[in-house]
Amino acid sequence: MAGLPAIRGRAWLFGSGISTDMLSPGQYVHHPMEERLKHVLESARPEFAGGVKPGDIVVAGANFGCGSSRESAPQHLKDLGVVAVVADSLARIFSRNAIAIGLVAIACPSISEVVKDGDTVEIDVVSGMVSVGERGIVLEGDRIPEPMLDVLRHGGIEPLLASIAAEQNR
Amino acid sequence: MDNLAGSKQLTVAEEILARAAGREESSAGEYVVAQVDAMMMHDIFAADVLSMLERAGIQRLHDPSKVTVVFDHMIPPPSVSAASHQAKARELISHFGIDAFFEIGRGICHQVMIEERRVVPGQLVVATDSHTTTYGAQGVAATGIGSSEMAYALATGQLWFKVPESVSVILEGQFSYGVTAKDLILYLMKAIGSAEAQYRSIEFGGPGVDELSLADRMTISNMGVEIGAKFAVFPADSIQTIRENAGYVASHTVSLRSLTPQVAVPHHVENVVDVDEVAGTPLDQVFIGSCTNGRLEDLRQAAGILEGKHIAKGLRLIVFPASSQVMEAAAREGIIETLNKAGAYVGGPGCGPCFGGHLGLLAPGERCLGTHNRNFRGRMGSADAEIYLGSPMTAAASALAGAITNPCQMDHITSGREPIGAVATGDSLGRRGEA
């Protein structure tokens, strides 16, 4: 079982109320994946989908991921290489979906006020501590509860299902 | 009850999650693993979820009889990719032995779940749609989940849950003419908001609840999720809300009489204002439908305003009934004819343009007022379009005027005609709100 090493990456800063319609617009829901990924967050920051690099981190204001239950919202971020989302607060279904697909998502009040776009942000996933080294800032995010950390350690629910299947079919 | 006075009571969320977890009690903040009583998927996610199970080597569902699938979103399929997606889903639905499968044409999943009695009071229900909170109208602890969690629940019959804190909302009095359940829940978007309701359960109670039909309650519970609520529960059968000695983190009391028509303005559902603040805003499209407001009562209210009139030139009115039952009843009552004569496009039962998939998307610069549930940027097509949300009465009045209009100021409402909200003698489900 993989551990949960600290994450360090470049921040893309977003405001509050980033919805699943912005993350994964409904009109592209059955389009080919490469087409869908081009539209991720285009209505908030058109340069994001083309500019994001593997290992980057999304930092946002309140209620990140509000709206639909579509799991494509966190999945698209992961597919684009984003390794974590840290927001002042997270919408409930989004936060569960992120963990379910193996994407770190941490609520960290007022993080969006201290992080500047392009900052290097470091996250201790288990403790929930978030730091911005170059500014000497350390904030305490909400701890991810143990059942969800366990899902993260497995890399998401899908890998877990394989072991359930093995048990069922024994 | 005397010996219970002063002792702690559980909230509805605590009670239902404790029961489903096989425990005496549970407390807000803790995590429980609970048996799920019913599960539902729609066409957007059914193929993904079932394919995930297939890939993992899962050969059978924990209990296929608890599972319902409804095709309601991308229907009829507008593209080869949607058609292929649905074909794959049909194959897997059959493979996994899911009998409760409702094909295209039956209606919007949440309406169908209630009409087909696939949920009952006191249950714990999950579905791959955020508006699953709708079943709270019948005292169900129901909430939306994603595809992976659904796959897990289908395979194991269980899922872990955080026991949410609860917020109480006590309703008093009754609505004034022209004010509806939609205006109440829009008002609560503003008065409570996600800052307070996120990951919490909202319990509705008080004497005003008796004034609300099941359709009204469904509209309110449906949009609970828009302020982040995990559950949005009304009393039903043995499920009593607002328990005196239960721990609520916040309480609100709302006088229904004092409410006015409300409108959510771009680009967030918590941006809610009195309709008069935006009255006169020109519109290109009006949409009446969705799991929020596509029921018989909603169409009846809209038709009451549109009857004998025609929508404004240059505006299009799109109507999608919530289900085949709603459509039949509306046809019997002459509502479909009224809508057609008023210039509306009336489609078959389904989600229509609400989720932004098809059937009424917006061009850049266009403005729509709809009875649905979200007005996020890009929700209905172009990111440069604007979406306003209001009641079916506000929608109908606005369609006639070609601009956002307060339905209370329509002539025939103040002309002594019987108030539209009071006409109903039964709802589309053939029963009153008490269920």
Side-chain angles (χ1 to χ4, degrees):
Chain A
M1 191 185 296
L4 290 169
I7 292 173
R8 195 177 146 87
R10 177 180 65 144
W12 285 80
L13 186 62
F14 290 86
S16 290
I18 297 291
S19 71
T20 53
D21 289 307
M22 299 166 100
L23 288 156
S24 173
Q27 60 183 304
Y28 307 114
V29 69
H30 290 320
H31 284 223
M33 192 53 72
E34 61 188 286
E35 175 69 20
R36 298 174 70 180
L37 293 179
K38 285 181 196 161
H39 300 285
V40 175
L41 291 169
E42 70 179 348
S43 57
R45 290 187 64 175
E47 76 282 16
F48 174 76
V52 67
K53 298 273 188 300
D56 285 355
I57 290 174
V58 166
V59 176
N63 205 13
F64 186 87
C66 56
S68 158
S69 66
R70 58 190 78 147
E71 201 167 274
S72 51
Q75 186 67 54
H76 287 352
L77 291 177
K78 191 180 177 191
D79 291 346
L80 286 169
V82 170
V83 289
V85 174
V86 191
D88 294 356
S89 63
L90 296 163
R92 185 190 72 84
I93 302 177
F94 179 89
S95 66
R96 288 189 66 130
N97 280 346
I99 305 295
I101 60 142
L103 176 68
V104 170
I106 290 185
C108 183
S110 52
I111 187 75
S112 70
E113 290 158 32
V114 300
V115 170
K116 300 249 183 309
D117 199 52
D119 275 354
T120 299
V121 172
E122 189 163 340
I123 303 164
D124 185 303
V125 179
V126 176
S127 71
M129 300 302 285
V130 181
S131 52
V132 190
E134 51 230 78
R135 293 180 205 289
I137 293 165
V138 181
L139 288 179
E140 196 177 339
D142 295 347
R143 272 170 185 261
I144 298 177
E146 190 49 44
M148 295 175 92
L149 283 177
D150 198 44
V151 173
L152 274 182
R153 286 188 195 102
H154 280 87
I157 282 179
E158 188 159 1
L160 263 178
L161 286 171
S163 51
I164 292 166
E167 204 145 297
Q168 260 193 7
N169 302 332
R170 200 162 44 198
Chain B
M1 290 298 282
D2 282 351
N3 57 345
L4 287 177
S7 71
K8 185 179 179 289
Q9 288 178 290
L10 302 183
T11 63
V12 172
E14 289 168 338
E15 178 186 307
I16 292 178
L17 284 169
R19 193 266 308 151
R23 297 162 41 157
E24 286 293 307
E25 55 183 72
S26 73
S27 302
E30 67 177 331
Y31 288 81
V32 298
V33 175
Q35 300 294 318
V36 175
D37 297 307
M39 289 158 267
M40 190 280 296
M41 298 178 280
H42 54 59
D43 58 287
I44 302 286
F45 303 119
D48 296 343
V49 173
L50 297 174
S51 296
M52 193 185 296
L53 293 174
E54 194 182 37
R55 277 199 305 276
I58 300 281
Q59 293 184 359
R60 59 187 176 278
L61 305 187
H62 180 263
D63 185 353
S65 72
K66 290 180 175 174
V67 184
T68 307
V69 181
V70 185
F71 279 12
D72 60 354
H73 274 66
M74 279 293 193
I75 58 101
S79 64
V80 175
S81 58
S84 306
H85 202 78
Q86 289 165 30
K88 177 69 179 170
R90 283 189 193 94
E91 180 193 317
L92 291 170
I93 288 162
S94 167
H95 170 76
F96 282 110
I98 300 169
D99 292 331
F101 169 41
F102 297 93
E103 263 287 0
I104 71 167
R106 180 61 188 86
I108 305 176
C109 56
H110 305 307
Q111 182 72 14
V112 173
M113 288 290 279
I114 297 285
E115 289 179 359
E116 297 284 345
R117 294 170 163 75
R118 297 290 294 166
V119 294
V120 299
Q123 282 185 328
L124 175 65
V125 177
V126 294
T128 57
D129 190 276
S130 55
H131 295 107
T132 302
T133 51
T134 306
Y135 317 145
Q138 286 200 308
V140 179
T143 199
I145 60 172
S147 306
S148 296
E149 292 199 323
M150 179 57 81
Y152 186 88
L154 289 171
T156 65
Q158 62 188 32
L159 200 57
W160 63 269
F161 294 85
K162 179 181 175 183
V163 182
E165 296 171 319
S166 294
V167 173
S168 73
V169 177
I170 295 166
L171 305 176
E172 293 179 342
Q174 49 190 296
F175 292 122
S176 308
Y177 294 165
V179 181
T180 67
K182 181 59 163 284
D183 301 299
L184 168 62
I185 189 62
L186 286 174
Y187 168 79
L188 294 176
M189 297 289 114
K190 173 171 62 178
I192 298 179
S194 60
E196 181 179 313
Q198 188 68 254
Y199 224 126
R200 287 177 170 160
S201 172
I202 305 176
E203 287 188 21
F204 293 92
V209 161
D210 297 335
E211 303 296 324
L212 302 177
S213 67
L214 178 57
D216 290 334
R217 298 176 191 203
M218 288 172 74
T219 298
I220 295 163
S221 292
N222 174 281
M223 282 191 74
V225 71
E226 304 306 337
I227 42 175
K230 177 172 191 156
F231 307 133
V233 193
F234 279 87
D237 290 356
S238 65
I239 301 298
Q240 290 307 312
T241 54
I242 318 290
R243 299 156 182 201
E244 201 175 338
N245 295 317
Y248 297 101
V249 291
S251 296
H252 299 264
T253 300
V254 180
S255 159
L256 300 181
R257 173 72 69 188
S258 69
L259 294 174
T260 55
Q262 303 287 300
V263 173
V265 304
H267 292 283
H268 203 284
V269 68
E270 290 175 44
N271 295 339
V272 172
V273 300
D274 287 355
V275 64
D276 289 337
E277 287 184 41
V278 286
T281 306
L283 297 171
D284 301 290
Q285 175 170 307
V286 169
F287 164 53
I288 299 175
S290 84
C291 55
T292 311
N293 277 118
R295 279 172 276 281
L296 180 61
E297 295 79 349
D298 302 315
L299 303 188
R300 199 185 264 152
Q301 288 176 354
I305 289 175
L306 294 165
E307 190 168 6
K309 298 190 166 63
H310 200 279
I311 60 172
K313 196 174 175 194
L315 178 138
R316 52 197 189 266
L317 171 60
I318 299 175
V319 182
F320 286 95
S323 75
S324 55
Q325 281 186 14
V326 170
M327 196 167 191
E328 281 170 30
R332 272 198 304 274
E333 288 189 23
I335 291 170
I336 303 292
E337 187 181 341
T338 298
L339 295 170
N340 279 338
K341 284 186 172 156
Y345 168 93
V346 183
C351 302
C354 170
F355 69 106
H358 60 155
L359 298 170
L361 304 191
L362 301 169
E366 285 195 322
R367 202 178 280 128
C368 173
L369 183 140
T371 64
H372 54 306
N373 40 55
R374 289 197 178 124
N375 62 342
F376 301 135
R377 192 183 280 281
R379 172 74 176 176
M380 288 175 83
S382 171
D384 297 319
E386 290 188 349
I387 306 166
Y388 292 72
L389 306 175
S391 74
M393 294 177 79
T394 299
S398 302
L400 289 181
I404 297 176
T405 299
N406 183 341
C408 300
Q409 283 161 15
M410 299 295 291
D411 288 346
H412 50 281
I413 291 182
T414 51
S415 69
R417 197 182 141 142
E418 190 173 7
I420 287 158
V423 179
T425 51
D427 60 23
S428 55
L429 308 162
R431 58 207 138 132
R432 300 297 296 172
E434 291 72 23

